[in-house]
Amino acid sequence: MAISRSDLDTYLADLLKVEKFKDYCPNGLQVEGSNVIEKIVTGVTASQRLIDEAIAHNAQAILVHHGYFWKGENQAIAGIKKSRIAALLEHDINLYAYHLPLDAHETLGNNVQLASQLGWQVQGSLGQSLSLFGKVDGLETGATLQRKLTEALDFDVIHIGEENDEIETVAWCTGAAQDELERAIEAGVDAFVSGEISERTVHLALESGVHYFAAGHHATERGGVKALGEHLEQRFDIEVQFIDLPIPV
Ligand SMILES: [Zn+2]
């Protein structure tokens, strides 16, 4: 079975409500390839390694969370960007990328997927942000939640806070969202989980008493694109393969 390039673009724009987001990159088809798509490779980031995998697997499309053409970057197609785009064009591979729409989607998004991986109960979002909050599965401590995250995400999770403190309420935002910790402090939750950590985040967590868990940018953002690929595979009877290329952050 197959789907056309434009049908897939239209379907994903509608499913992910792309027009509702003001983003730092274009969401949708970023690089045009073959008109007929029988096989899609999904992954977190459109790195050269992922492109090489897609070529090796004879895919006609790559679907990612982190694509190209970010606001503020050099617009010239040169260097690493040239090599990546040249490889896509040479092999007639379409590149579809969905950033904020894939963080936020109510069933397939990174944030909801993280909650379901950990068995957390979603109670709402923190104000107008992408961050969600809710309850952990049972009662955790700093140490047990660090261990559960480490096992679930297969990532060396950094925990800032007391090991023996009890944790019942949690807020989270996948990726680079460590500064959402401030919103979590205002909301009064016990813990905040995100992907990355900066020096300032350590002090903010310790002085506020809100536990902070840095669970990996890549590791927390696998869920959305993987779930989206599985959805497409069922919906259109095409072949979709998620390729995980873990990194240390
Ligand atoms: Zn990200």
Side-chain angles (χ1 to χ4, degrees):
M1 294 297 285
I3 184 168
S4 79
R5 178 183 63 235
S6 61
D7 282 356
L8 183 58
D9 197 26
T10 306
Y11 179 78
L12 287 171
D14 182 52
L15 177 71
L16 300 173
K17 303 183 181 76
V18 159
E19 81 290 347
K20 281 177 62 184
F21 291 86
K22 268 187 82 176
D23 211 334
Y24 314 97
C25 62
N27 288 299
L29 182 66
Q30 290 192 337
V31 178
E32 184 178 306
S34 116
N35 186 38
V36 177
I37 297 166
E38 293 174 335
K39 172 149 190 174
I40 302 175
V41 156
T42 60
V44 177
T45 299
S47 62
Q48 187 67 52
R49 280 169 72 200
L50 188 67
I51 296 167
D52 293 344
E53 290 284 347
I55 294 167
H57 286 86
N58 294 313
Q60 293 84 39
I62 297 175
L63 173 63
V64 292
H65 180 50
H66 301 138
Y68 304 152
F69 314 118
W70 297 90
K71 201 179 268 180
E73 78 177 20
N74 184 347
Q75 292 181 13
I77 298 178
I80 287 168
K81 197 198 277 183
K82 183 238 170 182
S83 305
R84 291 169 169 182
I85 292 172
L88 290 170
L89 294 175
E90 191 184 323
H91 292 88
D92 219 12
I93 296 174
N94 295 282
L95 175 65
Y96 296 87
Y98 299 89
H99 183 234
L100 297 182
L102 191 52
D103 287 320
H105 192 270
E106 62 271 20
T107 57
L108 303 168
N110 284 322
N111 282 318
V112 164
Q113 288 293 322
L114 181 64
S116 73
Q117 262 181 290
L118 273 301
W120 298 340
Q121 187 194 330
V122 182
Q123 293 179 316
S125 53
L126 292 185
Q128 296 293 90
S129 77
L130 295 173
S131 299
L132 299 178
F133 72 93
K135 277 195 155 58
V136 295
D137 187 19
L139 190 64
E140 303 279 10
T141 65
T144 63
L145 189 52
Q146 182 186 22
R147 194 158 60 237
K148 269 195 192 168
L149 282 162
T150 297
E151 280 168 15
L153 300 173
D154 195 19
F155 182 83
D156 226 346
V157 172
I158 297 171
H159 169 223
I160 308 297
E162 286 295 325
E163 279 193 2
N164 298 321
D165 282 358
E166 289 184 350
I167 294 174
E168 208 170 347
T169 56
V170 63
W172 63 95
C173 194
T174 63
Q178 70 260 31
D179 291 328
E180 285 283 299
L181 172 59
E182 295 201 35
R183 229 186 270 268
I185 294 167
E186 274 172 42
V189 291
D190 299 328
F192 184 69
V193 178
S194 187
E196 298 188 18
I197 186 161
S198 297
E199 195 264 1
R200 62 180 181 277
T201 316
V202 175
H203 301 292
L204 202 57
L206 290 175
E207 291 172 33
S208 67
V210 174
H211 291 251
Y212 183 72
F213 297 87
H217 189 140
H218 173 94
T220 58
E221 296 201 319
R222 280 187 199 112
V225 79
K226 189 165 182 283
L228 181 58
E230 286 162 7
H231 170 87
L232 291 175
E233 190 161 40
Q234 288 184 357
R235 180 74 176 70
F236 295 110
D237 196 20
I238 47 176
E239 204 185 336
V240 182
Q241 188 172 351
F242 175 69
I243 296 184
D244 191 30
L245 300 169
I247 54 169
V249 295

